[in-house]
Amino acid sequence: MDSQSNAAIRTAEALVDTSAKPSGTEATPDACVSAELSPPEEKSQVQSRTPVMIWFRTSGPRYLVRIMALVAAVLLWELASDNGFSFYVNFENIPAPSVVGAALGAELAGQEFYLHILHSLERVAIAYVMAVVLGVVIGVAMGRSRWAEDIILPYIELLRPIPAVAWIPLAILMLPTEQSSIVFITFLGALFPVILNTVHGVEQTNGLLVRAARSLGASRTAILWHVVLPGAMPSIVAGLAIGMGVAWFSLLAGEIISGQYGIGYYTWNSYTLIQYPQIIIGMLTIGGLGTLCTLLVRKGCSPLLKWQARGGRS
Amino acid sequence: MKSSSTLATITLCGSLALFAGTVSAETIRVGIGHQSMVTNTVSGGIVLEKLDLLKKHLPTTGRYENVKYDIVFRDYDSGPPITNQMLANKLEFGVMGDYPLIVNGAKFQETGRQETRFIGLTGYNLRGTGNGIVVPINSSVQSLADLEGKALSVPVGSAAWGMTLKALSEAGLSGKVQIVNQSPAVGVANIQAGRIDAHADFCPWSEIMEFRGTGRKIYDGSEAGIPTFHGIVVRERYAKQYPEVVEGVLKATLEAQKWIQENPMEAAVKVSEWTGVEKEVLYLYFSEGGITTAEASIKPEWIEAMKYDLDLLKREVGVPDLDFDRWVDDTYLRAAYQAMDLDYDALVSSVVDTQPNNPALKPAEIWFSDKGIVTFESVADMLAAADSADTPIYATYVYDNLTGLKLFGKAAYLVRGDDGEVVAFLKKADSEKHIANYGGTPVKPESALAKAY
């Protein structure tokens, strides 16, 4: 399990790094991974003048390529739907982007759609904050104490693979309101990646640094605060980003029972009325909001990772 | 080297022969999407599957002589996934309730590429019983009016939803009751946990909640007066290509319906084994005087009801239009009736309806664990028998004094008149009115009946 999750976490870190530091620093161990992923030309252009110019020179064309890739996909989809493309994959009954776009226009003109989004944002926010606080605390405890790890790990390993949908019946019975059931299901989704990445980060703490701090007279709290946590931060941040993504897809499962509002409910309800354009709108909205929130988490956490750049150069 | 090439030749010939074999015998898929939990649909789905009725009725002569049938049954918990599968050409037949049927027809017509045909019924209730509004068993709510300012959940787009909207608007409560969309499973769990004020659902959920003692019915679908029924749709292109297959499926359905009508107790036990719905609930539906009439003919009443339903669907949730003249097609059903020597037109004009104090029905029944169903000449006799019974009782059944609806004895409000006779009511308010007008005392839940059944 460890090597696998390590690899996953590494990749996630690399992603965090590239987005947090578009200019591409190379000295920290994590940046080595990111350098592997990013094309070589980034390195040579580090010395250019203003950051904005650098961005345009380096990332600008890449973003252009990304946008073009999306546009191409939409064009292909339009063609496939309009011509009833059917060769193993069948597009005959898939509404074309133009149809979906028209439906989206209608939704954006009304109020309902924003209510759905607001309700979902609220649920994700509550669930995510709870998952982050609890997840980091549990994760640090597990990383620092063998006892805590031995007691908690079996639960996590057992509960983690259970898909969010499976929790619905129990969530209804256990929790007092619909809202709390949905938040609970979303919370569970976000919790596990946060815990596991925190544990991983804490366990990776460089023993040399801990001994050095101790020999300088640092207390246990001081070591935790100034050595362990900063050291674990890249891994924790990766966990936070993954957790946000998982929170969004758990939300859809939870909102099946929402009954009234939420973008997951919107999507599910469209299915019960066989409204395919609305289903696609719901899917893309969840995807978009998930991406946006993950991006915000990464940006928000980048100050926590500043030590890496400074420390790495020494 | 030589042997390996011989081997290759043999393998090649073998696979070619296999391939040729499959080409000469045409395989026709008969894919049926059904909802085994929904009592009104069983004669088009689970009964066909478990009694293997299709094999008996699918054509095997003429052009079907060498045909192989690939029979597929798929069980879903609601209609829309079935429509989804049919749109994707993965199922040929769909068995679902009136509202999902309309959505199915309308959605197909909207594509402009292919359509479905509505070819027959699996079960109906003329007045709309089967749909009902239930409150948690300990709730103080006794009538629709008590729901004002409260929340009610219902599967939006189902017959129960249509009933709820009509009931609320007739009671002047439109907009005064918060309506929440919830699937049956979630709604039932919410009622059990007391997390929602009321839940409206289609068959057999209200009765399941009554039987399990978690909910109490405060509004019966019959009060809204719109028929409720379930039926079969088929993809039109498929039906054109294999009309005899469609006819075969309908013949099998007719046999399944006959089996249910003639052996309601056996059917209840069997279907309960297959679906997990309590047999006592199923008997309430299948038995004579019960909620479901398992009969397939397409009557003008159904078309009228569907036109009402379509208007509602169009207005409330933007379902596209549906051309009923194209969509409803009873030719296959007529052929099936003819093949079974039954008079279709006579059936069309006969509608089974509930009536109070129906002389054709005994007023009370007990289902004993050993003796099976025993009928009684009066509710009072039944109560006495239930009291003195020395074998376990599965359930007792009575009829509502005002509407003739079949009820669980334990869920009914019973009034013992001064002459000792007992009458049953669905609603508490009706029983109190009866006492005010004619005297008598309520049969206390602590006594006789309410023991366990």
Side-chain angles (χ1 to χ4, degrees), chain B residues 34-318:
Chain B
H34 65 106
Q35 308 166 60
S36 68
M37 284 294 284
V38 183
T39 320
N40 273 352
T41 69
V42 295
S43 66
I46 194 82
V47 176
L48 302 191
E49 181 183 357
K50 298 293 179 180
L51 297 186
D52 215 359
L53 294 177
L54 282 184
K55 227 170 238 164
K56 186 170 158 193
H57 291 284
L58 286 174
T60 51
T61 52
R63 62 182 272 227
Y64 296 99
E65 204 171 319
N66 288 318
V67 157
K68 271 196 191 140
Y69 290 108
D70 174 18
I71 297 174
V72 181
F73 282 98
R74 292 259 176 79
D75 196 351
Y76 294 92
D77 62 356
S78 65
I82 301 175
T83 298
N84 198 9
Q85 295 282 353
M86 289 174 75
L87 272 168
N89 275 336
K90 286 174 185 144
L91 290 174
E92 283 69 44
F93 297 85
V95 190
M96 49 190 118
D98 34 18
Y99 279 67
L101 281 172
I102 294 169
V103 173
N104 175 290
K107 283 292 166 184
F108 265 93
Q109 283 192 1
E110 190 190 26
T111 66
R113 272 189 285 264
Q114 51 169 338
E115 294 194 0
T116 52
R117 292 289 176 260
F118 177 49
I119 54 168
L121 260 73
T122 51
Y124 72 81
N125 183 289
L126 180 69
R127 305 252 195 111
T129 300
N131 299 317
I133 301 177
V134 170
V135 296
I137 189 93
N138 295 321
S139 165
S140 61
V141 173
Q142 290 288 351
S143 69
L144 271 188
D146 295 343
L147 280 177
E148 184 164 349
K150 297 199 155 79
L152 176 153
S153 65
V154 57
V156 166
S158 72
W161 169 75
M163 172 208 71
T164 304
L165 293 187
K166 184 158 191 265
L168 291 179
S169 89
E170 281 174 355
L173 290 168
S174 298
K176 292 178 187 160
V177 176
Q178 186 199 356
I179 294 188
V180 178
N181 185 6
Q182 213 63 278
S183 68
V186 176
V188 170
N190 279 343
I191 287 286
Q192 189 174 356
R195 291 197 343 181
I196 187 105
D197 299 315
H199 178 70
D201 222 319
F202 42 81
C203 63
W205 291 102
S206 319
E207 287 75 21
I208 286 183
M209 287 186 268
E210 282 188 318
F211 182 73
R212 291 181 184 167
T214 57
R216 179 160 47 78
K217 208 195 262 186
I218 58 151
Y219 184 91
D220 184 84
S222 60
E223 295 172 57
I226 312 171
T228 185
F229 54 87
H230 289 66
I232 310 175
V233 280
V234 61
R235 283 195 286 112
E236 185 252 2
R237 233 176 271 161
Y238 178 87
K240 272 242 174 71
Q241 200 180 350
Y242 306 114
E244 295 84 359
V245 172
V246 176
E247 199 188 308
V249 170
L250 287 173
K251 278 195 281 190
T253 301
L254 294 182
E255 186 174 335
Q257 292 176 330
K258 196 164 161 243
W259 177 69
I260 292 171
Q261 280 175 354
E262 289 175 1
N263 319 285
M265 192 176 92
E266 188 197 343
V269 172
K270 288 280 181 203
V271 174
S272 173
E273 273 169 27
W274 300 330
T275 64
V277 176
E278 287 84 346
K279 59 183 179 307
E280 296 84 352
V281 174
L282 290 168
Y283 185 77
L284 186 67
Y285 273 84
F286 293 158
S287 58
E288 207 182 336
I291 297 171
T292 296
T293 306
E295 190 253 294
S297 68
I298 302 177
K299 307 178 202 296
E301 286 92 335
W302 309 155
I303 311 293
E304 281 315 304
M306 284 199 282
K307 282 181 179 159
Y308 172 87
D309 300 344
L310 175 65
D311 279 342
L312 193 71
L313 284 165
K314 273 157 85 171
R315 196 170 64 235
E316 296 284 336
V317 289

Side-chain angles (χ1 to χ4, degrees), chain B residues 255-409:
Chain B
E255 186 174 335
Q257 292 176 330
K258 196 164 161 243
W259 177 69
I260 292 171
Q261 280 175 354
E262 289 175 1
N263 319 285
M265 192 176 92
E266 188 197 343
V269 172
K270 288 280 181 203
V271 174
S272 173
E273 273 169 27
W274 300 330
T275 64
V277 176
E278 287 84 346
K279 59 183 179 307
E280 296 84 352
V281 174
L282 290 168
Y283 185 77
L284 186 67
Y285 273 84
F286 293 158
S287 58
E288 207 182 336
I291 297 171
T292 296
T293 306
E295 190 253 294
S297 68
I298 302 177
K299 307 178 202 296
E301 286 92 335
W302 309 155
I303 311 293
E304 281 315 304
M306 284 199 282
K307 282 181 179 159
Y308 172 87
D309 300 344
L310 175 65
D311 279 342
L312 193 71
L313 284 165
K314 273 157 85 171
R315 196 170 64 235
E316 296 284 336
V317 289
V319 166
D321 198 19
L322 172 62
D323 180 352
F324 282 99
D325 293 336
R326 283 217 311 275
W327 184 56
V328 178
D329 185 352
D330 61 4
T331 51
Y332 305 101
L333 192 59
R334 280 176 186 280
Y337 268 91
Q338 203 167 17
M340 307 272 281
D341 272 333
L342 292 164
D343 183 355
Y344 183 77
D345 290 306
L347 267 175
V348 168
S349 49
S350 81
V351 182
V352 174
D353 193 5
T354 48
Q355 63 179 90
N357 301 310
N358 189 343
L361 301 166
K362 299 280 193 233
E365 289 168 70
I366 297 181
W367 188 347
F368 289 101
S369 62
D370 55 348
K371 283 175 277 186
I373 299 286
V374 176
T375 56
F376 294 89
E377 292 300 328
S378 74
V379 181
D381 289 354
M382 185 271 279
L383 286 180
D387 256 345
S388 61
D390 44 12
T391 52
I393 289 174
Y394 287 142
T396 58
Y397 302 94
V398 293
Y399 296 88
D400 180 25
N401 193 42
L402 298 178
T403 59
L405 278 176
K406 195 161 194 163
L407 311 170
F408 282 119

Side-chain angles (χ1 to χ4, degrees), chain A residues 1-17 30 33 37 160 193 196-197 200 234-243 246 298:
Chain A
M1 167 250 152
D2 257 317
S3 67
Q4 265 185 343
S5 67
N6 273 2
I9 290 159
R10 282 284 140 190
T11 327
E13 280 174 17
L15 290 172
V16 174
D17 281 347
D30 288 300
V33 186
L37 287 181
R160 194 166 60 106
L196 289 177
N197 277 17
H200 175 75
S235 181
I236 295 177
V237 169
L240 298 188
I242 297 170
V246 181
R298 284 175 182 158

